[in-house]
Amino acid sequence: MIERQYDVVIVGSGAGGGTVAEELGGLARDGKKVLVLEKGPRFADSEFDGRELSMAPSLYAEEGGFLTAEGTMTLAFGSAYGGSTVVYTGTSMQPPERVIRGWGVPGLDFSDLESRARKYAEENGVHLLPPDLLNENNRLFVEGCEKAGYKAEQFPINVRGCKGSSLCNLGCPNAAKQGTHRVQLPAAERAGVEVVTRAEALRIEERAILVRVQEKKPGSKGLPSEWAPGEYRIKAGAIVLAGSAIGTPALLLRSNLPGLSKRVGEGFTCHPAHILAAEHARPITNDVGHPKSFFLDRSVEEGFLLETCMYFPFTTAKNLAGFGAPHSKLMHAFPRLQMILVLACDKAVPGNRVAVDRTGKPVVHYRFTPEVVASLIRATRASARIFFAAGAQRVHAPSADPPLLERDEAPAIDERIHGRHFKEGKISVSAAHLMGGCGMGSGPSDSVTDSYGRVHGIPWLRVADASLFPDSLEINPYLTIMALAGRAAGKLLEDKAWQ
């Protein structure tokens, strides 16, 4: 076991960890030792080749195929220098005031959160894409919404010099997306923060963390780790956990620290989602241009969000219901497909949680509540109306049987798309945004941390990622994660107890 000593160790380099690293850059400039541990590798720019079959296994944990314990939903999350900010579409929404106030977390000031989110939005170049960069897949969504009686809104996006490759989910090959791997982490490293990749946090001890550094496999993508392969015990004045809504609760659970709240792992939510596709009579521009430029927010009225999307052939094929000739026929229509991602605004409920198995690996338990199923059905019906209003000839709806609705069936949407066809394990559902597991609150009886991510009863241990959410955010979460991480870092700098 190799021993190392640092003042602050940050676990994770995504929206949370990358933000904390940048905020602690001043400590590094003042001579303090600050370390970021990232389980995934660091990639050279030339390695982002945009190929689904080579990038997905390299960028995503378990190659993007992490399944819930029930086997009914896949959870995709990044494992790389920059975490999931490498593989998301750059959508950057301000924290929703209604939701944040509804959480009722003592000390969580909305105006502070909003101010911090605006700072990171500016830092990451968040803006609306000009009309000439919007592809037909997105324009048809806006047109369909208007004709169906809805009002679509445009996503602010964090890109600089976007060339419209549509490959956001495989890591931008043009270095346009401004994730923490492009902005916060390089800034932190310039200030003297050390980042070690391929470094998996195994367990936390009193003011120390056990880490295994993996060797780069022959022929795999990514650079070798900055440290020699092996196991390390790193002592630290403070430890900040930002390993995601799955990684952080799992690390705490297998560490079994004395005095830790029994709430660790509870409150997991994830915006369960379907990919819907509709076939037009003519080819449309769908696989060029930014893939996710507009959304429809029906969270208050009907408990769902609709977002434009365009997924790659393998992902699309996996999410289409059915087999054989009908499935093949729809895949061959790929150049004519319009797509919408439907997301249910789920709620934290007992039983939906992160746990660990006997070997310490994370396990996610998730059951679809009747409310979630109803939201997905309403969202699918709304999407079908939008598709047909935009001129689609047929719509593929996984919660219909058979799943293809022809245009002349539009008047029967409510009957054809129905909850009785939502059969867990037979219908493809993916988690859009992973949240909760170390929720904020007033004390250890109802939460894991306070509003600054300080773990109750353990002053040297902090949390700074989406696991802090006590419930679903009901919108894309990245700026909110960064704002919470900024608060956690700011309080760490103020506090003296850990030093």
Side-chain angles (χ1 to χ4, degrees):
M1 184 77 72
I2 303 166
E3 300 277 344
R4 297 281 169 91
Q5 175 85 46
Y6 283 81
D7 293 292
V8 182
V9 172
I10 303 161
V11 179
S13 67
T19 300
V20 173
E22 182 190 40
E23 295 292 341
L24 299 189
L27 278 183
R29 280 191 291 270
D30 291 341
K32 298 287 188 182
K33 294 183 68 178
V34 181
L35 173 69
V36 177
L37 299 170
E38 168 54 51
K39 183 179 178 181
R42 186 193 302 246
F43 293 93
D45 286 351
S46 59
E47 292 183 288
F48 291 99
D49 61 20
R51 296 177 180 173
E52 186 176 14
L53 294 183
S54 67
M55 293 311 301
S58 302
L59 289 169
Y60 289 90
E62 299 199 10
E63 302 187 2
F66 188 103
L67 272 174
T68 56
E70 294 75 17
T72 55
M73 181 166 58
T74 54
L75 295 78
F77 49 101
S79 182
Y81 174 87
S84 289
T85 70
V86 180
V87 296
Y88 82 132
T89 48
T91 53
S92 303
M93 304 296 293
Q94 283 292 310
E97 182 172 359
R98 172 185 61 83
V99 175
I100 300 299
R101 295 195 187 284
W103 285 351
V105 176
L108 184 61
D109 178 44
F110 172 75
S111 60
D112 176 49
L113 207 61
E114 182 185 41
S115 172
R116 292 178 187 274
R118 291 195 184 284
K119 167 191 161 183
Y120 297 119
E122 183 175 351
E123 195 171 283
N124 288 9
V126 172
H127 64 285
L128 301 177
L129 287 180
D132 61 312
L133 292 183
L134 302 174
N135 69 13
E136 204 167 10
N137 185 55
N138 282 285
R139 291 198 298 268
L140 285 169
F141 179 76
V142 176
E143 178 185 330
C145 281
E146 288 175 354
K147 290 180 178 177
Y150 299 114
K151 181 174 175 50
E153 300 174 71
Q154 190 170 358
F155 270 123
I157 307 293
N158 68 347
V159 293
R160 289 190 173 100
C162 178
K163 296 182 180 178
S165 71
S166 194
L167 296 169
C168 306
N169 296 127
L170 298 178
C172 180
N174 302 310
K177 185 168 53 186
Q178 303 297 294
T180 57
H181 62 309
R182 298 289 178 198
V183 183
Q184 283 74 31
L185 291 169
E189 290 186 280
R190 288 193 296 272
V193 173
E194 190 176 352
V195 181
V196 175
T197 56
R198 300 185 188 272
E200 180 182 8
L202 303 175
R203 195 170 71 251
I204 301 169
E205 297 179 344
E206 175 74 20
R207 293 183 186 270
I209 185 163
L210 304 185
V211 176
R212 179 183 296 129
V213 174
Q214 301 280 2
E215 191 169 7
K216 172 181 162 66
K217 294 180 180 176
S220 64
K221 283 182 175 289
L223 304 176
S225 176
E226 293 77 3
W227 285 3
E231 297 203 349
Y232 294 76
R233 184 172 188 271
I234 305 168
K235 296 179 181 177
I239 296 174
V240 183
L241 305 182
S244 85
I246 293 178
T248 294
L251 177 56
L252 286 174
L253 287 168
R254 61 177 177 263
S255 299
N256 196 27
L257 293 167
L260 192 64
S261 168
K262 302 298 184 187
R263 297 289 186 180
V264 174
E266 295 183 358
F268 179 79
T269 61
C270 62
H271 293 160
H274 287 317
I275 299 172
L276 304 187
E279 183 181 345
H280 286 260
R282 58 178 177 79
I284 64 172
T285 53
N286 54 17
D287 60 354
V288 294
H290 188 273
K292 193 183 290 288
S293 300
F294 286 88
F295 68 102
L296 174 64
D297 184 354
R298 299 288 294 173
S299 56
V300 173
E301 299 89 347
E302 299 184 86
F304 67 78
L305 300 168
L306 305 183
E307 301 183 354
T308 51
C309 67
M310 197 66 212
Y311 288 98
F312 316 106
F314 184 84
T315 305
T316 301
K318 177 178 76 72
N319 282 278
L320 295 179
F323 301 94
H327 186 279
S328 176
K329 184 178 180 181
L330 191 56
M331 284 303 298
H332 277 88
F334 197 87
R336 302 193 301 276
L337 294 184
Q338 181 189 353
M339 291 190 193
I340 297 175
L341 185 69
V342 305
L343 297 79
C345 300
D346 56 341
K347 296 293 183 185
V349 297
N352 285 351
R353 60 165 298 146
V354 179
V356 291
D357 66 14
R358 287 186 296 179
T359 67
K361 290 183 178 179
V363 177
V364 174
H365 296 276
Y366 193 94
R367 293 283 185 189
F368 300 105
T369 65
E371 291 78 14
V372 164
V373 174
S375 292
L376 287 171
I377 296 301
R378 287 193 293 268
T380 304
R381 289 170 175 168
S383 298
R385 293 188 177 93
I386 291 166
F387 280 136
F388 284 132
Q393 298 300 300
R394 54 189 62 85
V395 171
H396 180 275
S399 46
D401 187 16
L404 272 183
L405 279 72
E406 298 295 334
R407 187 171 181 81
D408 60 7
E409 294 182 280
I413 282 175
D414 287 350
E415 172 55 24
R416 289 279 280 110
I417 300 171
H418 199 279
R420 64 177 177 273
H421 302 308
F422 189 97
K423 296 177 180 176
E424 294 188 25
K426 291 188 175 181
I427 190 167
S428 179
V429 183
S430 303
H433 306 121
L434 312 181
M435 301 166 279
C438 295
M440 301 174 288
S442 58
S445 63
D446 69 0
S447 58
V448 179
T449 80
D450 68 7
S451 68
Y452 290 99
R454 294 180 292 196
V455 175
H456 298 307
I458 308 179
W460 50 268
L461 187 59
R462 317 292 169 107
V463 174
D465 59 22
S467 68
L468 290 170
F469 295 6
D471 209 336
S472 166
L473 188 65
E474 302 185 17
I475 197 66
N476 302 33
Y478 292 95
L479 279 182
T480 303
I481 298 170
M482 297 182 81
L484 287 172
R487 276 172 58 87
K491 186 57 71 177
L492 186 71
L493 291 171
E494 289 178 18
D495 290 348
K496 303 296 182 185
W498 62 273
Q499 299 186 32

